[in-house]
Amino acid sequence: MNFKKSMLLSALLSATAIGGVAHAQDSEKQYRFVMVSHIGSNDPNMGWLTKSMEEFEKRYPNVKTEYISTNNYSVQEHVRLLEQAISTNPDGIAVPIVSSDAFEGPLRKAIEAGIPVVAFNIPDGRPEGERIPYLTYVGGDEYLTGKKLGEYALQKVEAGEIPKPTHVVCASHDSAHQGLKARCAGMKEVMEKAGAKFDELFIGAEPATARNTLQSFLQANTDTNYIFTVAGWSSPWAWGVANEMKLDPDVDDKGVTVLTVDEGPVSIEGVRAGHILATNSQGFWLQGYAPMEWLYWNKRFGLAPQSDILTGPVIINKDNADKWAELVRGVFGDKAYDEQNTW
């Protein structure tokens, strides 16, 4: 964590210094950067990205940023949006690499055409030299997200606060999303080492279908006592199914334990209510701001980072959830925060 904090501090200090230079030179050159995202308006995390991009525009008034996404997600639709954005010849693109295979063609074409690209939220997981040659990756480490949440759970097992895992199910809404697969893989490594069985379950993104799928799994696998939902908004579905089946899903030393991800209101309030053991922050605000800043520095000054920039994971638990709620309310506002809390 010290290494990550150091990276973050360096990035912020650099932002301050170079931002000052940018203002001093007061360039008349106008830039247009496009973020092509898989996070639509039905996902509370979109608010972090769009609000941080608004802050970026205030600091760099000669840059116009655009956020495009779809709520009916598919890799094919994401590629279509990406190709559509490239065809407008922007000055830079930020994009999550949801599928390396699907995104490689259009992104290499863009980079060869002189459009700088920053990956955010999900990197190309292939080795350096094989991956898409973007400038850098800004975001959390999805494998570490699952691993650190699993390790946190085992700390609580050791303290006698929750049951020892016997069978863990990782509930995913998108079977093609390599970032979600990495979250499950990190959790799997930790839990299997602890002696638990592990399954990955595709539940989909439609609430009724997801609930029915998870209920069928729990009925067929009665030894399951941990549910890891790889999206915060699906955690109430998992808790609700377990509660209706009288599996005691609240956080205590018996029954089912639920873990989830992200710093959205539904995740934080799940922790505060005692429904969720823990969630995480992957630094969404920085994932909106930092890619735009690196695109600007690259376009304006020819600078390029020499490593990826990790913005998470940071564990959110009962000890710090109140502070996180205060922070997120300050960013989203009370109305949006309460609307996104679906408990």
Side-chain angles (χ1 to χ4, degrees), residues 6 24 94 102 137 158 160 184 205 246 250 255 275 312 324 329 338:
S6 176
Y137 165 68
E158 187 69 22
C184 290
K246 302 187 184 308
D250 277 338
H275 299 325
W324 273 98
R329 278 188 181 277
D338 292 336

Side-chain angles (χ1 to χ4, degrees), residues 20 22 58 61 121 127 139 148 150 158 168 175 192 208 248 274 276 282 306 309 343:
K58 292 177 183 176
N121 192 249
K148 293 300 180 182
E158 187 69 22
V168 180
S175 59
E192 287 189 336
D248 190 7
I276 302 295
Q282 55 173 287
Q306 298 302 304
I309 302 168
W343 291 100

